[in-house]
Amino acid sequence: MENRKKALVLLNMGGARNKDELKMFLTNMFNDKNILTINSNLLRKLIAFIITKRRLNEAWKNYELIGNKSPINPLTEKLVDRCNEEIKEFKTYQVMRYTPPFAQDVIKEILEDEIEEIVLLPLYPQYSTTTTKSSVEDFIDYLPYSFGQNIRYIDNFYKNEAFNSCIIDEIEKNIEKEDDFNIVFSAHGLPQKIVDKGDPYEEQMKEHVEILSKMLKEKGLNFKSINLAYQSKVGPMKWLEPSLDEKLKEFKNEKVLIYPLSFIVDNSETDFELAIEYKHIADNLGIKEYKVCKCVNDSNAFIEAIKDIIK
Ligand SMILES: C=CC1=C(C)c2cc3[nH]c(cc4nc(cc5[nH]c(cc1n2)c(C)c5CCC(=O)O)C(CCC(=O)O)=C4C)c(C)c3C=C
Ligand SMILES: [Fe+2]
Ligand SMILES: [Fe+2]
């Protein structure tokens, strides 16, 4: 590893390792001007404090059901290790947005390692101001001016064929040829207001589903229906629609396969929200079978896709 002069930095959201870190996650998230798009820092700080205080205990109960921590950290660490084993040209690091390791600390390490060139790979296939922009800006804010211009970032990678093949493989693993599943691509939601201001996330998400639909058909993987819905609404504002709750109502007595399309590694939104919370909803709606696909995580095929995405 000593001679590696290029850094690949995986950017992700972070997640709670314990209740204190959930408080940290929520506080940092709602203090992010890309998430709460309020101009006044002071007002945002106050609202972040109030939301965190209100949400913490209720949200922690969800983490108790998945082993008192989010799986996002260990899974991202595994992905970093696999990249370091398989992508010899780069030394791979991870930076999280709302829990450690933070950009400021990882940048110190990068400078000590005398890295000369940096590639930022936000682990978000579709661009959003709330995720990609927030993470990239945060990193660049802490990078000293003296580092120079030898830094580039991957804006999105939902069109990458090798990546999409990983998704199709995961879907294929979950069905038999004669099954008659409805597939729902479930995306993390976004306030409608953010989309109306020009965030391309919804547009890219729709295009991503179109690309995958074509690939499924080409592979002879037939579904009764192919759908897109949005999970994880927070607060009273209007978010992207249809919501996953509404979408599931269409499938009484039918089979549903969920693919979590916003994420690269599994996290509390997949392991708790999709696998536990929406499973209850599906059972109550009389859905005959309800399955959730795994994210691409640190699979060999995804490591190959990363090589192609950053080249
Ligand atoms: C206004 C609130 C939120 C916006 C906008 C938002 C966008 C957004 N988030 C992800 C990915 C993840 N979000 C996760 C958790 C999470 N998200 C919000 C709120 C907003 N997200 C909250 C309050 C939480 C915490 C859990 C909860 O209280 O419901 C996670 C999981 C992290 C983990 O612990 O494992 C991920 C991943 C995307 C992709 C996105 C916009 C495109
Ligand atoms: Fe979120
Ligand atoms: Fe959620």
Side-chain angles (χ1 to χ4, degrees), residues 95-148:
V95 166
M96 296 301 200
R97 183 68 183 90
Y98 304 128
T99 56
F102 291 123
Q104 196 173 12
D105 302 314
V106 178
I107 286 171
K108 272 189 204 140
E109 207 185 313
I110 287 177
L111 296 176
E112 277 163 22
D113 289 343
E114 298 179 351
I115 293 293
E116 291 162 3
E117 204 181 311
I118 300 175
V119 178
L120 301 179
L121 175 57
L123 295 179
Y124 304 108
Q126 312 82 14
Y127 182 97
S128 171
T129 53
T130 60
T131 52
T132 320
K133 175 172 174 277
S134 171
S135 281
V136 169
E137 271 182 7
D138 174 56
F139 188 91
I140 289 173
D141 276 354
Y142 284 107
L143 193 66
Y145 195 64
S146 58
F147 185 81

Tab-separated table of all heavy atoms in Angstrom, residues 95-148:
chain	number	residue	atom	x	y	z
A	95	VAL	N	-15.290	8.342	4.016
A	95	VAL	CA	-15.673	9.535	4.785
A	95	VAL	C	-17.176	9.512	4.941
A	95	VAL	O	-17.909	9.291	3.977
A	95	VAL	CB	-15.249	10.828	4.041
A	95	VAL	CG1	-15.926	12.050	4.646
A	95	VAL	CG2	-13.738	11.005	4.087
A	96	MET	N	-17.638	9.703	6.174
A	96	MET	CA	-19.075	9.748	6.420
A	96	MET	C	-19.504	11.205	6.649
A	96	MET	O	-18.718	12.020	7.123
A	96	MET	CB	-19.435	8.893	7.640
A	96	MET	CG	-19.153	7.406	7.451
A	96	MET	SD	-20.059	6.732	6.037
A	96	MET	CE	-20.035	4.984	6.414
A	97	ARG	N	-20.750	11.482	6.345
A	97	ARG	CA	-21.218	12.874	6.422
A	97	ARG	C	-21.686	13.253	7.837
A	97	ARG	O	-21.485	14.380	8.266
A	97	ARG	CB	-22.369	13.052	5.409
A	97	ARG	CG	-22.939	14.454	5.297
A	97	ARG	CD	-21.942	15.409	4.682
A	97	ARG	NE	-22.454	16.757	4.629
A	97	ARG	CZ	-22.299	17.659	5.592
A	97	ARG	NH1	-21.674	17.340	6.716
A	97	ARG	NH2	-22.778	18.882	5.468
A	98	TYR	N	-22.347	12.303	8.521
A	98	TYR	CA	-22.989	12.692	9.794
A	98	TYR	C	-22.455	11.979	11.029
A	98	TYR	O	-22.824	12.323	12.142
A	98	TYR	CB	-24.512	12.485	9.694
A	98	TYR	CG	-25.143	13.223	8.530
A	98	TYR	CD1	-25.968	12.559	7.617
A	98	TYR	CD2	-24.908	14.577	8.331
A	98	TYR	CE1	-26.541	13.227	6.547
A	98	TYR	CE2	-25.471	15.262	7.262
A	98	TYR	CZ	-26.284	14.583	6.378
A	98	TYR	OH	-26.840	15.248	5.319
A	99	THR	N	-21.657	10.921	10.852
A	99	THR	CA	-20.996	10.258	11.989
A	99	THR	C	-19.548	9.991	11.561
A	99	THR	O	-19.260	9.995	10.376
A	99	THR	CB	-21.680	8.913	12.358
A	99	THR	OG1	-21.697	8.071	11.198
A	99	THR	CG2	-23.102	9.114	12.865
A	100	PRO	N	-18.620	9.732	12.516
A	100	PRO	CA	-17.228	9.479	12.110
A	100	PRO	C	-17.126	8.237	11.215
A	100	PRO	O	-17.981	7.365	11.318
A	100	PRO	CB	-16.512	9.235	13.447
A	100	PRO	CG	-17.431	9.774	14.504
A	100	PRO	CD	-18.818	9.664	13.955
A	101	PRO	N	-16.087	8.169	10.386
A	101	PRO	CA	-14.974	9.107	10.197
A	101	PRO	C	-15.372	10.326	9.349
A	101	PRO	O	-15.913	10.165	8.258
A	101	PRO	CB	-13.936	8.262	9.441
A	101	PRO	CG	-14.719	7.200	8.729
A	101	PRO	CD	-15.931	6.934	9.559
A	102	PHE	N	-15.102	11.512	9.895
A	102	PHE	CA	-15.461	12.756	9.224
A	102	PHE	C	-14.370	13.192	8.239
A	102	PHE	O	-13.186	12.847	8.402
A	102	PHE	CB	-15.659	13.872	10.254
A	102	PHE	CG	-16.877	13.675	11.123
A	102	PHE	CD1	-16.768	13.632	12.507
A	102	PHE	CD2	-18.139	13.544	10.552
A	102	PHE	CE1	-17.893	13.454	13.308
A	102	PHE	CE2	-19.273	13.360	11.350
A	102	PHE	CZ	-19.141	13.311	12.722
A	103	ALA	N	-14.773	14.036	7.275
A	103	ALA	CA	-13.858	14.508	6.223
A	103	ALA	C	-12.583	15.119	6.824
A	103	ALA	O	-11.470	14.786	6.410
A	103	ALA	CB	-14.576	15.536	5.346
A	104	GLN	N	-12.762	15.986	7.798
A	104	GLN	CA	-11.636	16.708	8.405
A	104	GLN	C	-10.523	15.747	8.862
A	104	GLN	O	-9.343	15.998	8.624
A	104	GLN	CB	-12.190	17.454	9.617
A	104	GLN	CG	-11.307	18.512	10.143
A	104	GLN	CD	-12.021	19.306	11.245
A	104	GLN	OE1	-13.075	18.906	11.749
A	104	GLN	NE2	-11.444	20.418	11.620
A	105	ASP	N	-10.907	14.642	9.503
A	105	ASP	CA	-9.919	13.700	10.038
A	105	ASP	C	-9.300	12.834	8.943
A	105	ASP	O	-8.105	12.555	8.962
A	105	ASP	CB	-10.582	12.815	11.117
A	105	ASP	CG	-11.153	13.679	12.223
A	105	ASP	OD1	-10.431	14.594	12.679
A	105	ASP	OD2	-12.324	13.482	12.595
A	106	VAL	N	-10.133	12.400	7.990
A	106	VAL	CA	-9.617	11.545	6.916
A	106	VAL	C	-8.668	12.351	6.018
A	106	VAL	O	-7.654	11.820	5.537
A	106	VAL	CB	-10.774	10.900	6.111
A	106	VAL	CG1	-10.237	10.059	4.965
A	106	VAL	CG2	-11.662	10.068	7.028
A	107	ILE	N	-8.984	13.630	5.826
A	107	ILE	CA	-8.104	14.470	4.991
A	107	ILE	C	-6.712	14.572	5.638
A	107	ILE	O	-5.699	14.503	4.935
A	107	ILE	CB	-8.757	15.854	4.750
A	107	ILE	CG1	-9.902	15.686	3.737
A	107	ILE	CG2	-7.738	16.875	4.249
A	107	ILE	CD1	-10.777	16.904	3.548
A	108	LYS	N	-6.652	14.675	6.960
A	108	LYS	CA	-5.347	14.693	7.652
A	108	LYS	C	-4.555	13.442	7.294
A	108	LYS	O	-3.368	13.491	6.980
A	108	LYS	CB	-5.564	14.724	9.175
A	108	LYS	CG	-5.696	16.130	9.715
A	108	LYS	CD	-5.678	16.134	11.223
A	108	LYS	CE	-6.377	17.391	11.723
A	108	LYS	NZ	-7.227	17.152	12.889
A	109	GLU	N	-5.244	12.293	7.351
A	109	GLU	CA	-4.611	11.004	7.038
A	109	GLU	C	-4.126	10.984	5.577
A	109	GLU	O	-3.007	10.537	5.287
A	109	GLU	CB	-5.675	9.919	7.235
A	109	GLU	CG	-5.151	8.558	7.601
A	109	GLU	CD	-6.297	7.547	7.642
A	109	GLU	OE1	-7.358	7.830	8.246
A	109	GLU	OE2	-6.141	6.479	7.038
A	110	ILE	N	-4.973	11.494	4.687
A	110	ILE	CA	-4.647	11.522	3.248
A	110	ILE	C	-3.391	12.369	3.008
A	110	ILE	O	-2.510	11.995	2.232
A	110	ILE	CB	-5.864	12.058	2.442
A	110	ILE	CG1	-6.961	10.982	2.393
A	110	ILE	CG2	-5.462	12.495	1.037
A	110	ILE	CD1	-8.247	11.400	1.697
A	111	LEU	N	-3.301	13.494	3.714
A	111	LEU	CA	-2.136	14.376	3.534
A	111	LEU	C	-0.880	13.725	4.114
A	111	LEU	O	0.195	13.791	3.522
A	111	LEU	CB	-2.400	15.746	4.167
A	111	LEU	CG	-3.549	16.553	3.517
A	111	LEU	CD1	-3.805	17.845	4.264
A	111	LEU	CD2	-3.277	16.830	2.044
A	112	GLU	N	-1.034	13.039	5.268
A	112	GLU	CA	0.109	12.316	5.853
A	112	GLU	C	0.606	11.213	4.919
A	112	GLU	O	1.787	10.916	4.870
A	112	GLU	CB	-0.291	11.694	7.198
A	112	GLU	CG	-0.197	12.678	8.358
A	112	GLU	CD	-0.976	12.209	9.588
A	112	GLU	OE1	-1.240	10.984	9.713
A	112	GLU	OE2	-1.325	13.081	10.411
A	113	ASP	N	-0.337	10.608	4.196
A	113	ASP	CA	0.013	9.542	3.251
A	113	ASP	C	0.610	10.081	1.944
A	113	ASP	O	0.888	9.307	1.029
A	113	ASP	CB	-1.223	8.688	2.922
A	113	ASP	CG	-1.661	7.828	4.097
A	113	ASP	OD1	-0.846	7.640	5.027
A	113	ASP	OD2	-2.809	7.344	4.099
A	114	GLU	N	0.735	11.385	1.863
A	114	GLU	CA	1.317	12.066	0.678
A	114	GLU	C	0.616	11.703	-0.630
A	114	GLU	O	1.242	11.488	-1.663
A	114	GLU	CB	2.827	11.801	0.604
A	114	GLU	CG	3.527	12.374	1.819
A	114	GLU	CD	5.025	12.119	1.833
A	114	GLU	OE1	5.510	11.345	0.985
A	114	GLU	OE2	5.701	12.696	2.695
A	115	ILE	N	-0.709	11.622	-0.530
A	115	ILE	CA	-1.534	11.362	-1.718
A	115	ILE	C	-1.456	12.568	-2.644
A	115	ILE	O	-1.488	13.715	-2.192
A	115	ILE	CB	-3.002	11.112	-1.266
A	115	ILE	CG1	-3.119	9.805	-0.477
A	115	ILE	CG2	-3.976	11.179	-2.444
A	115	ILE	CD1	-2.887	8.531	-1.214
A	116	GLU	N	-1.354	12.266	-3.955
A	116	GLU	CA	-1.218	13.359	-4.932
A	116	GLU	C	-2.486	13.596	-5.749
A	116	GLU	O	-2.651	14.631	-6.387
A	116	GLU	CB	-0.049	13.043	-5.890
A	116	GLU	CG	1.292	13.123	-5.178
A	116	GLU	CD	2.411	12.415	-5.917
A	116	GLU	OE1	2.172	11.893	-7.030
A	116	GLU	OE2	3.536	12.374	-5.374
A	117	GLU	N	-3.368	12.593	-5.760
A	117	GLU	CA	-4.572	12.698	-6.592
A	117	GLU	C	-5.744	12.046	-5.860
A	117	GLU	O	-5.569	10.977	-5.267
A	117	GLU	CB	-4.277	11.927	-7.885
A	117	GLU	CG	-5.082	12.354	-9.060
A	117	GLU	CD	-4.723	11.516	-10.284
A	117	GLU	OE1	-3.510	11.353	-10.582
A	117	GLU	OE2	-5.654	10.998	-10.914
A	118	ILE	N	-6.912	12.681	-5.906
A	118	ILE	CA	-8.074	12.134	-5.176
A	118	ILE	C	-9.265	11.957	-6.120
A	118	ILE	O	-9.591	12.847	-6.899
A	118	ILE	CB	-8.505	13.073	-4.016
A	118	ILE	CG1	-7.368	13.270	-3.007
A	118	ILE	CG2	-9.749	12.532	-3.302
A	118	ILE	CD1	-7.679	14.288	-1.893
A	119	VAL	N	-9.912	10.784	-6.009
A	119	VAL	CA	-11.195	10.571	-6.679
A	119	VAL	C	-12.246	10.362	-5.593
A	119	VAL	O	-12.092	9.484	-4.737
A	119	VAL	CB	-11.164	9.332	-7.618
A	119	VAL	CG1	-12.533	9.109	-8.253
A	119	VAL	CG2	-10.107	9.503	-8.693
A	120	LEU	N	-13.286	11.195	-5.628
A	120	LEU	CA	-14.385	11.050	-4.661
A	120	LEU	C	-15.496	10.230	-5.309
A	120	LEU	O	-15.960	10.562	-6.400
A	120	LEU	CB	-14.949	12.418	-4.266
A	120	LEU	CG	-14.001	13.429	-3.623
A	120	LEU	CD1	-14.754	14.738	-3.331
A	120	LEU	CD2	-13.406	12.876	-2.335
A	121	LEU	N	-15.892	9.154	-4.621
A	121	LEU	CA	-17.014	8.354	-5.123
A	121	LEU	C	-18.142	8.380	-4.092
A	121	LEU	O	-18.141	7.600	-3.135
A	121	LEU	CB	-16.556	6.903	-5.397
A	121	LEU	CG	-17.661	5.924	-5.823
A	121	LEU	CD1	-18.403	6.377	-7.069
A	121	LEU	CD2	-17.095	4.519	-6.029
A	122	PRO	N	-19.117	9.291	-4.256
A	122	PRO	CA	-20.272	9.272	-3.353
A	122	PRO	C	-21.058	7.983	-3.589
A	122	PRO	O	-21.325	7.642	-4.744
A	122	PRO	CB	-21.085	10.507	-3.781
A	122	PRO	CG	-20.143	11.353	-4.585
A	122	PRO	CD	-19.197	10.387	-5.239
A	123	LEU	N	-21.388	7.277	-2.519
A	123	LEU	CA	-22.075	5.983	-2.695
A	123	LEU	C	-23.577	6.196	-2.916
A	123	LEU	O	-24.417	5.601	-2.230
A	123	LEU	CB	-21.791	5.062	-1.509
A	123	LEU	CG	-20.320	4.631	-1.373
A	123	LEU	CD1	-20.114	3.735	-0.161
A	123	LEU	CD2	-19.806	3.932	-2.632
A	124	TYR	N	-23.890	7.083	-3.839
A	124	TYR	CA	-25.270	7.388	-4.221
A	124	TYR	C	-25.352	7.293	-5.746
A	124	TYR	O	-24.772	8.130	-6.442
A	124	TYR	CB	-25.656	8.803	-3.767
A	124	TYR	CG	-25.468	9.032	-2.284
A	124	TYR	CD1	-24.442	9.837	-1.816
A	124	TYR	CD2	-26.323	8.428	-1.362
A	124	TYR	CE1	-24.256	10.044	-0.449
A	124	TYR	CE2	-26.147	8.629	0.007
A	124	TYR	CZ	-25.110	9.434	0.443
A	124	TYR	OH	-24.938	9.633	1.794
A	125	PRO	N	-26.063	6.300	-6.273
A	125	PRO	CA	-26.093	6.122	-7.730
A	125	PRO	C	-26.715	7.315	-8.460
A	125	PRO	O	-26.301	7.641	-9.565
A	125	PRO	CB	-26.969	4.881	-7.919
A	125	PRO	CG	-27.011	4.204	-6.595
A	125	PRO	CD	-26.790	5.240	-5.559
A	126	GLN	N	-27.726	7.941	-7.833
A	126	GLN	CA	-28.384	9.094	-8.452
A	126	GLN	C	-27.952	10.349	-7.689
A	126	GLN	O	-27.832	10.336	-6.466
A	126	GLN	CB	-29.920	8.961	-8.387
A	126	GLN	CG	-30.478	7.618	-8.833
A	126	GLN	CD	-30.420	6.556	-7.736
A	126	GLN	OE1	-30.214	6.848	-6.571
A	126	GLN	NE2	-30.592	5.304	-8.131
A	127	TYR	N	-27.734	11.438	-8.443
A	127	TYR	CA	-27.294	12.694	-7.819
A	127	TYR	C	-28.448	13.349	-7.059
A	127	TYR	O	-29.558	13.471	-7.556
A	127	TYR	CB	-26.806	13.659	-8.905
A	127	TYR	CG	-26.296	14.975	-8.354
A	127	TYR	CD1	-24.941	15.190	-8.146
A	127	TYR	CD2	-27.185	16.009	-8.051
A	127	TYR	CE1	-24.473	16.399	-7.643
A	127	TYR	CE2	-26.722	17.219	-7.540
A	127	TYR	CZ	-25.370	17.407	-7.341
A	127	TYR	OH	-24.915	18.598	-6.848
A	128	SER	N	-28.163	13.774	-5.842
A	128	SER	CA	-29.091	14.671	-5.135
A	128	SER	C	-28.274	15.735	-4.412
A	128	SER	O	-27.155	15.463	-3.944
A	128	SER	CB	-29.955	13.893	-4.126
A	128	SER	OG	-30.679	14.821	-3.328
A	129	THR	N	-28.854	16.917	-4.308
A	129	THR	CA	-28.194	17.981	-3.537
A	129	THR	C	-28.074	17.559	-2.071
A	129	THR	O	-27.125	17.939	-1.384
A	129	THR	CB	-29.019	19.282	-3.607
A	129	THR	OG1	-30.370	18.977	-3.214
A	129	THR	CG2	-29.021	19.850	-5.014
A	130	THR	N	-29.036	16.741	-1.602
A	130	THR	CA	-29.064	16.350	-0.184
A	130	THR	C	-28.013	15.296	0.166
A	130	THR	O	-27.727	15.089	1.338
A	130	THR	CB	-30.456	15.794	0.193
A	130	THR	OG1	-30.725	14.648	-0.627
A	130	THR	CG2	-31.542	16.827	-0.013
A	131	THR	N	-27.505	14.616	-0.850
A	131	THR	CA	-26.543	13.535	-0.581
A	131	THR	C	-25.202	13.819	-1.284
A	131	THR	O	-24.236	14.208	-0.646
A	131	THR	CB	-27.127	12.186	-1.058
A	131	THR	OG1	-27.558	12.299	-2.414
A	131	THR	CG2	-28.267	11.744	-0.174
A	132	THR	N	-25.193	13.684	-2.623
A	132	THR	CA	-23.960	13.857	-3.402
A	132	THR	C	-23.339	15.243	-3.162
A	132	THR	O	-22.176	15.347	-2.762
A	132	THR	CB	-24.275	13.708	-4.913
A	132	THR	OG1	-25.218	12.651	-5.085
A	132	THR	CG2	-23.023	13.437	-5.708
A	133	LYS	N	-24.133	16.280	-3.399
A	133	LYS	CA	-23.608	17.650	-3.284
A	133	LYS	C	-23.156	17.918	-1.843
A	133	LYS	O	-22.073	18.456	-1.620
A	133	LYS	CB	-24.686	18.657	-3.695
A	133	LYS	CG	-24.297	20.118	-3.499
A	133	LYS	CD	-25.357	21.024	-4.120
A	133	LYS	CE	-25.095	22.489	-3.814
A	133	LYS	NZ	-25.615	22.892	-2.487
A	134	SER	N	-23.974	17.500	-0.904
A	134	SER	CA	-23.651	17.731	0.503
A	134	SER	C	-22.314	17.079	0.876
A	134	SER	O	-21.452	17.699	1.507
A	134	SER	CB	-24.778	17.169	1.374
A	134	SER	OG	-24.395	17.189	2.718
A	135	SER	N	-22.117	15.831	0.461
A	135	SER	CA	-20.897	15.088	0.810
A	135	SER	C	-19.664	15.648	0.108
A	135	SER	O	-18.597	15.775	0.715
A	135	SER	CB	-21.035	13.616	0.428
A	135	SER	OG	-21.796	12.947	1.385
A	136	VAL	N	-19.813	15.967	-1.179
A	136	VAL	CA	-18.662	16.454	-1.948
A	136	VAL	C	-18.243	17.831	-1.422
A	136	VAL	O	-17.056	18.089	-1.192
A	136	VAL	CB	-18.994	16.486	-3.469
A	136	VAL	CG1	-17.917	17.231	-4.243
A	136	VAL	CG2	-19.149	15.068	-4.008
A	137	GLU	N	-19.209	18.701	-1.202
A	137	GLU	CA	-18.909	20.052	-0.674
A	137	GLU	C	-18.231	19.984	0.687
A	137	GLU	O	-17.277	20.710	0.956
A	137	GLU	CB	-20.199	20.846	-0.521
A	137	GLU	CG	-20.572	21.605	-1.753
A	137	GLU	CD	-21.845	22.425	-1.572
A	137	GLU	OE1	-22.385	22.517	-0.435
A	137	GLU	OE2	-22.309	22.960	-2.561
A	138	ASP	N	-18.747	19.100	1.519
A	138	ASP	CA	-18.189	18.946	2.865
A	138	ASP	C	-16.710	18.554	2.772
A	138	ASP	O	-15.857	19.114	3.461
A	138	ASP	CB	-19.000	17.860	3.595
A	138	ASP	CG	-18.430	17.513	4.951
A	138	ASP	OD1	-18.279	18.440	5.769
A	138	ASP	OD2	-18.150	16.323	5.194
A	139	PHE	N	-16.400	17.608	1.865
A	139	PHE	CA	-15.015	17.149	1.714
A	139	PHE	C	-14.132	18.293	1.205
A	139	PHE	O	-13.069	18.579	1.772
A	139	PHE	CB	-14.947	15.946	0.748
A	139	PHE	CG	-13.595	15.304	0.696
A	139	PHE	CD1	-13.280	14.261	1.546
A	139	PHE	CD2	-12.627	15.761	-0.188
A	139	PHE	CE1	-12.020	13.667	1.517
A	139	PHE	CE2	-11.362	15.186	-0.222
A	139	PHE	CZ	-11.064	14.137	0.631
A	140	ILE	N	-14.603	18.943	0.149
A	140	ILE	CA	-13.780	19.990	-0.486
A	140	ILE	C	-13.580	21.177	0.462
A	140	ILE	O	-12.505	21.787	0.487
A	140	ILE	CB	-14.381	20.380	-1.860
A	140	ILE	CG1	-14.136	19.205	-2.822
A	140	ILE	CG2	-13.768	21.666	-2.421
A	140	ILE	CD1	-14.788	19.295	-4.165
A	141	ASP	N	-14.570	21.476	1.285
A	141	ASP	CA	-14.439	22.560	2.281
A	141	ASP	C	-13.252	22.340	3.211
A	141	ASP	O	-12.624	23.287	3.659
A	141	ASP	CB	-15.704	22.630	3.151
A	141	ASP	CG	-16.789	23.454	2.481
A	141	ASP	OD1	-16.507	24.039	1.421
A	141	ASP	OD2	-17.920	23.469	3.014
A	142	TYR	N	-12.981	21.066	3.535
A	142	TYR	CA	-11.905	20.772	4.492
A	142	TYR	C	-10.550	20.529	3.822
A	142	TYR	O	-9.532	20.449	4.498
A	142	TYR	CB	-12.259	19.555	5.357
A	142	TYR	CG	-13.271	19.871	6.421
A	142	TYR	CD1	-14.587	19.425	6.328
A	142	TYR	CD2	-12.915	20.652	7.530
A	142	TYR	CE1	-15.518	19.722	7.307
A	142	TYR	CE2	-13.847	20.958	8.509
A	142	TYR	CZ	-15.147	20.493	8.394
A	142	TYR	OH	-16.062	20.802	9.361
A	143	LEU	N	-10.565	20.373	2.481
A	143	LEU	CA	-9.300	20.090	1.782
A	143	LEU	C	-8.488	21.387	1.675
A	143	LEU	O	-9.010	22.380	1.175
A	143	LEU	CB	-9.618	19.541	0.385
A	143	LEU	CG	-8.464	18.896	-0.370
A	143	LEU	CD1	-7.997	17.622	0.325
A	143	LEU	CD2	-8.876	18.573	-1.809
A	144	PRO	N	-7.220	21.398	2.165
A	144	PRO	CA	-6.484	22.662	2.117
A	144	PRO	C	-6.257	23.113	0.673
A	144	PRO	O	-6.089	22.285	-0.223
A	144	PRO	CB	-5.162	22.352	2.817
A	144	PRO	CG	-5.092	20.895	2.978
A	144	PRO	CD	-6.452	20.308	2.753
A	145	TYR	N	-6.270	24.401	0.494
A	145	TYR	CA	-6.089	25.018	-0.817
A	145	TYR	C	-4.806	24.503	-1.474
A	145	TYR	O	-4.742	24.271	-2.675
A	145	TYR	CB	-6.036	26.535	-0.606
A	145	TYR	CG	-6.218	27.321	-1.869
A	145	TYR	CD1	-7.426	27.252	-2.589
A	145	TYR	CD2	-5.190	28.124	-2.373
A	145	TYR	CE1	-7.600	27.966	-3.748
A	145	TYR	CE2	-5.363	28.836	-3.537
A	145	TYR	CZ	-6.566	28.757	-4.230
A	145	TYR	OH	-6.726	29.461	-5.381
A	146	SER	N	-3.781	24.280	-0.629
A	146	SER	CA	-2.463	23.858	-1.121
A	146	SER	C	-2.504	22.501	-1.834
A	146	SER	O	-1.580	22.143	-2.551
A	146	SER	CB	-1.467	23.802	0.028
A	146	SER	OG	-1.958	22.905	0.998
A	147	PHE	N	-3.587	21.717	-1.621
A	147	PHE	CA	-3.646	20.410	-2.284
A	147	PHE	C	-3.733	20.568	-3.803
A	147	PHE	O	-3.284	19.711	-4.565
A	147	PHE	CB	-4.837	19.579	-1.784
A	147	PHE	CG	-4.840	18.185	-2.365
A	147	PHE	CD1	-4.042	17.190	-1.817
A	147	PHE	CD2	-5.579	17.886	-3.504
A	147	PHE	CE1	-4.001	15.924	-2.380
A	147	PHE	CE2	-5.549	16.620	-4.083
A	147	PHE	CZ	-4.757	15.634	-3.502
A	148	GLY	N	-4.301	21.674	-4.244
A	148	GLY	CA	-4.374	21.945	-5.687
A	148	GLY	C	-5.609	21.345	-6.326
A	148	GLY	O	-6.596	21.047	-5.647
